[in-house]
Amino acid sequence: MLTIMTSSETERLTKSIKDEIIEEHGGKKDHDDYLEEDSTEIKNPFVHKVEWNDPYDKIRTAIFTVFVLPIRTICIVILLTISWILACIGLYGLSREDLKTKPIKGWRRVNRMVLAKLAVLGYAMGGVQIKTKGRQADKRQAPILVVAPHSSFLDAIIIHVCEYSSPLARDNDQTFGKLIDYTQPIYVCREDPDSRHNTIKEINERANSKEDWSQILIFPEGTCTNRTSLIQFKPGAFYPGVPVQPVCVRYPNKTDTVTWTWDGPDVITLLWRTLTQMHTYCEIEFLPVYTPNEEEKKDARLFARNVQAVMAKSLGVPISDYSFEDCRLMNSAKIMKIPNCAAAADTLKLRKKLGMDQDNIEETLIDKFSGEKVSKVGLAEFASRLQLDTKDENTIKLFKLHRSSDKQVDFRDYLLCALFIITLEKPKIQLVELLFKLYGKSGEASQDIFYEIMKHVLKKCSKDKAEHIFQQIDKSKNGFLTFDDFHSFTRLNPEYTYLFEK
């Protein structure tokens, strides 16, 4: 177990760990310089592309799909059904409030241990071989297990390997509701504005309770990544100020069929590829318990950063300045069909570093470059238009971020991404106004141009829907609309109230 250290000792330890991580990746700079220089060089942790070029792998997958997949699927379904029945029996007579206020005891707990064994057997039936390293601490030594990186639907096995620890879980899963309820999770409802406060309160109460609760299991990254780095840890697991045990997860497979990220293969494809592998290896390593010092107990974010550094060193990966919020930002850009949506988070950060968020120069360039037919530009022209220094490394990074295969940037696509970022915390109607200027001719939009604008504003906006809205507004049959026309129409239509809200 790690002993309690003074703040200076903690600082020296953390710096030493981080310096070692940097050294292993080819640099001798301090940690802050490392993040500043390499934040865009580190692979985007929310993007996972799978290349399937091995003919042998394709042949084996085809054979396994016919002969092995059905057997594995049947076995898993049977075990899931038995587990669900046992969970229903174990939960009989207990309400959600009972599960939240007192730990399961007696025969219910024994029944839950049987479920854990069945779950591990189910994974084995699917070809998943689990290897553990180190020793799991008991609850008295570490009330909270901190697990990273979180990258796969297979990560749920840790709950069962850790003897039915209680995870943080979304309060909207109906498919496996009974099985999740039986773990006595701490439910999180992201739609509830008080959820964050209530979650932290419940974590603190359980972690410091003298009752026989299971250990709390938390993935502090808050979302799935591709395991190329550790993204910023959320501080929720560290607010109680109690010892935590870091748990590292690895999938040392030749073919990665398990990584499930925001931009990558869907879960059905991954399940199919995983169940048609000969074996899928999963390694779970229990690191020594990390006991916080007094400074870390008072500062949950410092505590989180120091544990993150320890885990990054063990995993042999860099620390990234990406966060869960970056993933949400990129997802929002994807929903709004912003070109190069995966670059949205990095664009936001680089614009801040370059001071572009102060004057939002892109807004002033809309009229000048909106009508150009050829909008591809090289680095020199890109920097000149944005009044940036071509020698500034952040300018170069911004250019590379939006550069296409022809080594040029589509300037209008860049402007669209920048306008999306500029209006993030403003009512969406302000983005609509800017898009009328960007796409329209003298601020007027034809029916085709109107669709180009609406597909970046309205969710699932088809051409037919855009045409219907256009015809509703263009009652005089002019063949074009202005922003004022659209503004007046939506102001009077309750269906579009959300456009005027932040």
Side-chain angles (χ1 to χ4, degrees):
M1 181 183 295
L2 297 180
T3 57
I4 297 179
M5 298 173 288
T6 65
S7 60
S8 59
E9 287 174 331
T10 301
E11 187 176 344
R12 285 197 299 272
L13 171 66
T14 305
K15 185 178 186 303
S16 172
I17 290 169
K18 292 177 180 177
D19 286 344
E20 287 182 39
I21 296 168
I22 295 163
E23 189 109 14
E24 287 171 8
H25 288 79
K28 295 184 179 180
K29 302 175 178 64
D30 64 39
H31 183 59
D32 289 337
D33 287 342
Y34 172 69
L35 289 180
E36 288 292 318
E37 179 172 317
D38 294 316
S39 62
T40 56
E41 300 303 323
I42 292 176
K43 183 179 178 181
N44 189 322
F46 308 115
V47 176
H48 176 58
K49 301 299 181 184
V50 180
E51 293 185 3
W52 198 14
N53 302 319
D54 186 351
Y56 170 75
D57 189 26
K58 291 182 179 180
I59 294 170
R60 190 195 63 242
T61 299
I63 295 172
F64 271 52
T65 298
V66 175
F67 297 105
V68 178
L69 179 61
I71 298 172
R72 284 180 169 175
T73 302
I74 291 169
C75 290
I76 292 170
V77 169
I78 291 172
L79 286 171
L80 271 175
T81 303
I82 294 171
S83 297
W84 185 82
I85 293 170
L86 289 176
C88 289
I89 294 171
L91 291 169
Y92 181 76
L94 296 178
S95 66
R96 270 279 185 98
E97 189 61 29
D98 292 331
L99 294 171
K100 186 176 179 180
T101 55
K102 55 186 178 183
I104 285 175
K105 298 178 181 179
W107 68 269
R108 298 180 194 271
R109 198 149 191 157
V110 173
N111 185 51
R112 196 166 66 175
M113 296 303 296
V114 173
L115 276 179
K117 301 298 182 185
L118 284 176
V120 173
L121 178 60
Y123 276 81
M125 290 290 186
V128 180
Q129 294 191 4
I130 303 163
K131 178 183 178 182
T132 60
K133 297 172 64 177
R135 182 183 66 84
Q136 180 184 353
D138 62 36
K139 195 211 169 188
R140 290 169 297 177
Q141 295 173 307
I144 298 175
L145 300 173
V146 175
V147 186
H150 184 21
S151 63
S152 172
F153 47 85
L154 292 183
D155 290 345
I157 188 59
I158 299 170
I159 298 171
H160 310 292
V161 170
C162 295
E163 299 181 350
Y164 252 68
S165 50
S166 298
L168 261 66
R170 290 187 187 182
D171 192 11
N172 60 359
D173 194 323
Q174 300 300 320
T175 307
F176 301 106
K178 295 292 184 182
L179 292 172
I180 294 174
D181 282 347
Y182 208 18
T183 67
Q184 291 195 281
I186 296 175
Y187 277 115
V188 179
C189 180
R190 288 176 178 164
E191 290 73 28
D192 180 2
D194 296 324
S195 179
R196 180 177 178 274
H197 171 76
N198 294 335
T199 300
I200 292 172
K201 181 182 176 183
E202 192 168 350
I203 292 172
N204 188 58
E205 288 175 352
R206 283 206 200 179
N208 290 287
S209 173
K210 293 183 180 179
E211 293 194 69
D212 190 23
W213 286 99
S214 299
Q215 285 172 299
I216 302 169
L217 188 147
I218 297 177
F219 293 92
E221 291 175 297
T223 190
C224 286
T225 71
N226 57 25
R227 297 191 301 281
T228 55
S229 63
L230 281 188
I231 67 171
Q232 296 301 298
F233 282 10
K234 287 174 159 294
F238 308 94
Y239 278 117
V242 298
V244 301
Q245 182 171 33
V247 183
C248 297
V249 187
R250 300 178 181 88
Y251 292 95
N253 300 292
K254 180 181 177 181
T255 304
D256 185 353
T257 64
V258 303
T259 300
W260 184 27
T261 59
W262 161 79
D263 185 7
D266 59 75
V267 68
I268 299 299
T269 300
L270 292 174
L271 277 172
W272 166 56
R273 292 295 310 281
T274 300
L275 291 174
T276 53
Q277 297 294 311
M278 183 73 73
H279 298 292
T280 299
Y281 298 100
C282 173
E283 291 182 359
I284 300 171
E285 181 180 7
F286 296 96
L287 299 183
V289 172
Y290 190 109
T291 303
N293 59 34
E294 291 304 316
E295 189 174 352
E296 289 170 325
K297 288 179 181 179
K298 295 176 183 177
D299 186 347
R301 295 186 184 279
L302 172 65
F303 189 4
R305 286 196 299 271
N306 290 346
V307 172
Q308 180 192 29
V310 170
M311 297 183 75
K313 180 179 184 297
S314 178
L315 290 161
V317 298
I319 292 171
S320 163
D321 64 349
Y322 285 96
S323 67
F324 170 71
E325 285 69 28
D326 292 329
C327 187
R328 290 183 65 182
L329 172 61
M330 288 185 277
N331 190 53
S332 178
K334 184 177 183 179
I335 291 171
M336 294 178 67
K337 297 183 176 62
I338 302 298
N340 197 15
C341 56
D346 284 323
T347 301
L348 174 66
K349 295 171 187 176
L350 288 170
R351 288 183 76 258
K352 286 183 178 179
K353 291 178 182 178
L354 291 163
M356 298 170 69
D357 59 323
Q358 301 298 319
D359 51 16
N360 292 330
I361 189 173
E362 291 92 345
E363 288 190 61
T364 66
L365 299 176
I366 295 175
D367 292 331
K368 187 175 181 181
F369 297 109
S370 62
E372 61 179 5
K373 293 181 180 179
V374 181
S375 60
K376 294 290 185 76
V377 296
L379 174 60
E381 181 64 18
F382 179 79
S384 175
R385 291 183 177 189
L386 296 174
Q387 300 176 23
L388 300 174
D389 181 0
T390 55
K391 295 181 180 179
D392 189 318
E393 63 177 354
N394 290 315
T395 302
I396 297 171
K397 286 179 179 180
L398 185 63
F399 176 79
K400 286 182 177 179
L401 197 61
H402 292 272
R403 186 177 59 183
S404 56
S405 57
D406 60 3
K407 296 186 178 181
Q408 290 187 310
V409 168
D410 186 311
F411 196 68
R412 191 158 67 167
D413 281 354
Y414 167 76
L415 286 178
L416 177 56
C417 184
L419 296 178
F420 164 74
I421 290 168
I422 289 169
T423 56
L424 271 177
E425 297 181 3
K426 301 176 181 178
K428 196 174 285 188
I429 193 68
Q430 294 192 25
L431 175 61
V432 178
E433 183 177 12
L434 295 173
L435 293 184
F436 263 90
K437 294 179 181 179
L438 179 64
Y439 286 103
K441 186 176 181 181
S442 300
E444 297 177 346
S446 65
Q447 187 167 296
D448 289 339
I449 294 299
F450 183 72
Y451 168 65
E452 289 298 316
I453 295 170
M454 289 299 101
K455 74 179 184 182
H456 298 304
V457 178
L458 306 180
K459 292 181 180 179
K460 298 180 181 178
C461 183
S462 63
K463 275 196 171 184
D464 290 341
K465 183 176 181 179
E467 180 182 349
H468 177 68
I469 297 171
F470 185 91
Q471 291 173 352
Q472 281 185 295
I473 302 174
D474 185 28
K475 293 181 179 179
S476 57
K477 307 299 180 182
N478 291 323
F480 63 85
L481 299 178
T482 64
F483 169 72
D484 289 338
D485 295 331
F486 180 79
H487 184 275
S488 299
F489 172 77
T490 51
R491 260 297 183 199
L492 299 174
N493 195 326
E495 182 182 351
Y496 302 103
T497 303
Y498 69 94
L499 294 174
F500 298 88
E501 300 170 347
K502 286 191 177 181

